[in-house]
Amino acid sequence: MKANGNDRLRCIFAHIVLVVLSFMCLFFFCILLINATRSHADLQKGFSALPGKSFFENLNRVANDGTFPMFRGIINSLLVSSCSAALCTYFSALTAYGLYAYDFKLKKAAFAFIMAILIMPTQVTAMGFLRLITKMGMYDSLLPLVIPSIASPAVFYFMFSYMESSLPLSLVEAARIDGSGEFKTFNRIVLPIMKPAIAVQAIFTFVGSWNNYFVPALVIQSKNKMTVPILIATLRGADYMSFDMGKIYMMILVAIVPIILVYLLLSKYIIAGVTLGGVKG
């Protein structure tokens, strides 16, 4: 009886903690929804738990602002984020497969080199990166936002760890004995096994690329090539006479819709991917 009582208390405590955490996560999202429905004048009055009546007015102002290409920015962000997610997950999985399935002299050195790059901040190489893309004629282009995503040490390490727990080398050896080429083995056998890990990293990469402000602000100058974070920053930096908080909240709301859709499409793989094959281990 005492054990049952302790279990019940732990269950109640766990539910309370989950309710509090859920409230903390959803509270700011609810505030964003509410503020997107309020006008600039209403927002200046302070906090309100009740929605306003300016939702469609704010949406119309953002969509029809000739100096603010909202839909073009969303298309740019979708293009960059989708390409980055696809390239990052595929080539990171391919690199992880190369180090996992092959034995060669510099295997440990290559792994250590990739891990060393992982701890290097992006800001350290920013000026060299800017000079490189300028010399290559890619300044003020979307290409520098996509191509570097091919090399992602963090995603590589995740894929490598997943292969260690979920991909038996005997399966690769059997495919080789049957005459399967290496790329065919990777594309037909390894990738389907890696689907949970690929889905999880695709979500993370997509969100990271979508929210990236530093590199696009460094590279992009033309307004029709700007991504969503830069456009939101231009709204925030408007002069006092044209500054509109309602438009800013509406743009932020519109900007998170693609992220929510991507998450809903791939969310069923999240638990399977994050556990890294822990059940098998």
Side-chain angles (χ1 to χ4, degrees), residues 135-155:
K135 289 183 178 180
M136 296 177 66
M138 292 193 295
Y139 185 74
D140 196 22
S141 167
L142 296 179
L143 288 177
L145 308 183
V146 176
I147 295 175
S149 62
I150 294 175
S152 177
V155 180

Side-chain angles (χ1 to χ4, degrees), residues 157-159 161-163 165-166 197 271-279 281:
Y157 181 71
F158 187 94
M159 298 294 185
S161 300
Y162 193 91
M163 287 182 183
S165 64
S166 302
I271 295 177
V274 173
T275 52
L276 289 175
V279 176

Side-chain angles (χ1 to χ4, degrees), residues 30-251:
C30 292
I31 294 301
L32 172 62
L33 287 174
I34 292 171
N35 287 344
T37 66
R38 302 173 66 198
S39 65
H40 180 67
D42 292 335
L43 288 167
Q44 286 184 318
K45 296 177 182 178
F47 172 78
S48 174
L50 298 176
K53 301 178 181 179
S54 303
F55 179 85
F56 292 104
E57 182 181 352
N58 291 335
L59 182 61
N60 184 59
R61 286 182 179 178
V62 172
N64 297 322
D65 190 344
T67 62
F68 183 79
M70 181 187 75
F71 294 109
R72 182 63 187 176
I74 292 175
I75 292 173
N76 290 338
S77 287
L78 280 174
L79 180 64
V80 170
S81 300
S82 300
C83 292
S84 296
L87 291 174
C88 179
T89 51
Y90 182 83
F91 284 100
S92 295
L94 185 62
T95 305
Y97 173 73
L99 286 181
Y100 175 71
Y102 292 92
D103 286 322
F104 50 94
K105 291 183 179 180
L106 298 177
K107 180 175 180 177
K108 292 184 178 180
F111 186 86
F113 176 74
I114 295 174
M115 289 296 98
I117 298 175
L118 179 62
I119 63 174
M120 187 177 298
T122 306
Q123 291 79 1
V124 173
T125 59
M127 294 308 299
F129 175 71
L130 184 60
R131 292 185 63 183
L132 176 64
I133 64 171
T134 302
K135 289 183 178 180
M136 296 177 66
M138 292 193 295
Y139 185 74
D140 196 22
S141 167
L142 296 179
L143 288 177
L145 308 183
V146 176
I147 295 175
S149 62
I150 294 175
S152 177
V155 180
F156 155 80
Y157 181 71
F158 187 94
M159 298 294 185
F160 187 85
S161 300
Y162 193 91
M163 287 182 183
E164 285 184 324
S165 64
S166 302
L167 179 63
L169 284 175
S170 57
L171 190 63
V172 178
E173 293 294 338
R176 290 171 179 169
I177 292 173
D178 290 340
S180 175
E182 292 302 324
F183 278 100
K184 185 177 180 181
T185 301
F186 176 75
N187 292 324
R188 297 286 183 86
I189 298 175
V190 177
L191 280 185
I193 295 174
M194 298 291 294
K195 190 182 293 183
I198 290 173
V200 171
Q201 289 304 313
I203 292 174
F204 292 157
T205 306
F206 185 93
V207 173
S209 180
W210 184 274
N211 293 329
N212 187 15
Y213 173 79
F214 178 74
V215 178
L218 196 68
V219 173
I220 303 299
Q221 293 294 323
S222 302
K223 210 157 195 176
N224 64 336
K225 296 180 182 178
M226 289 183 176
T227 55
V228 169
I230 305 179
L231 290 176
I232 294 175
T234 59
L235 275 181
R236 187 65 182 86
D239 60 84
Y240 179 78
M241 296 301 295
S242 61
F243 180 70
D244 191 338
M245 284 295 294
K247 287 174 62 176
I248 293 176
Y249 281 112
M250 177 55 66
M251 185 60 203

